[in-house]
Amino acid sequence: MNSKAKLILHPVRMKIVQTLSGKKEYNVQQIASKLTDVPQATLYRHLNKLLEAGVLKVVRENQIRGTIEKFYSLNESAVSLTDDFRKLSRDEHLNLFLTFMTHLLGQYENYLQQDEVDLLKDGVGYREAIVYLSDKEFHEFTEQLSELMKKVIENEPSSDRTARHIANVFIPEPSKNN
């Protein structure tokens, strides 16, 4: 499987894409300041992979004392995975989903490894709900959820903000015709 989806779903590359989402433009130091758990050499390696794949683009360069400072942003058209996603086999979808879930599991494990954990105070939660929605209602729901996410994704880090991982998974019940 050699898809953009697989490329982006790597844990470090997913963090880079999330950091740059919302038409942000950052240099390596700014990205590194937001991804404090990623060593700089690793960050450069994954930035280069995303650049080579056309997922990222260099939007400007500044000459600073003999070096060139590059500013990166998402190549929005290249990040659209719809066509790529449709071409994947069932096994490839299962592998990508496993990668996604493993990433979430790693984030949760990292949280639990802290010396002091207070799930209620920290706002930790996971839940599953079965809802009954028409296609139109489901589309409206996902649009509203997307708008809410866009608002909070724009927030910059600050001393009074905690980074929180939010993940969505939508799985319809199998049709009764199968």
Side-chain angles (χ1 to χ4, degrees), residues 15 18 103-104 107-108 125 162-167:
K15 288 179 181 182
Q18 289 169 342
H103 174 72
L104 287 179
Q107 295 297 329
Y108 193 63
T162 301
R164 301 175 192 276
H165 296 262
I166 299 173

Side-chain angles (χ1 to χ4, degrees), residues 117-173:
V117 173
D118 185 337
L119 282 79
L120 293 176
K121 180 179 134 304
D122 294 338
V124 173
Y126 45 90
R127 63 184 61 91
E128 179 184 15
I130 297 174
V131 296
Y132 296 89
L133 303 169
S134 67
D135 288 347
K136 182 179 184 254
E137 291 168 327
F138 179 69
H139 178 74
E140 289 170 357
F141 170 74
T142 57
E143 287 291 317
Q144 291 170 355
L145 188 57
S146 178
E147 288 302 314
L148 286 171
M149 291 291 282
K150 284 178 189 173
K151 282 184 186 178
V152 296
I153 284 173
E154 297 297 319
N155 291 349
E156 291 290 329
S158 69
S159 61
D160 65 330
R161 288 187 171 140
T162 301
R164 301 175 192 276
H165 296 262
I166 299 173
N168 296 323
V169 177
F170 302 109
I171 304 171
E173 290 286 323

Side-chain angles (χ1 to χ4, degrees), residues 28-99:
V28 173
Q29 288 72 30
Q30 291 169 314
I31 296 169
S33 73
K34 296 171 188 323
L35 305 179
T36 57
D37 60 333
V38 178
Q40 194 158 12
T42 301
L43 179 61
Y44 274 109
R45 188 171 62 253
H46 290 287
L47 278 170
N48 285 329
K49 285 186 181 199
L50 291 167
L51 270 172
E52 289 169 11
V55 173
L56 297 184
K57 60 186 175 184
V58 176
V59 290
R60 70 178 188 275
E61 297 178 347
N62 295 337
Q63 184 82 29
I64 300 177
R65 292 180 299 251
T67 64
I68 296 176
E69 174 188 47
K70 295 179 181 180
F71 284 79
Y72 302 90
S73 74
L74 286 180
N75 185 356
E76 299 289 340
S77 61
V79 179
S80 174
L81 301 176
T82 305
D83 289 338
D84 203 33
F85 208 60
R86 286 185 177 138
K87 293 175 187 172
L88 299 176
S89 70
R90 290 176 185 187
D91 284 343
E92 288 171 325
H93 277 287
L94 192 56
N95 285 334
L96 286 175
F97 189 74
L98 181 59
T99 301

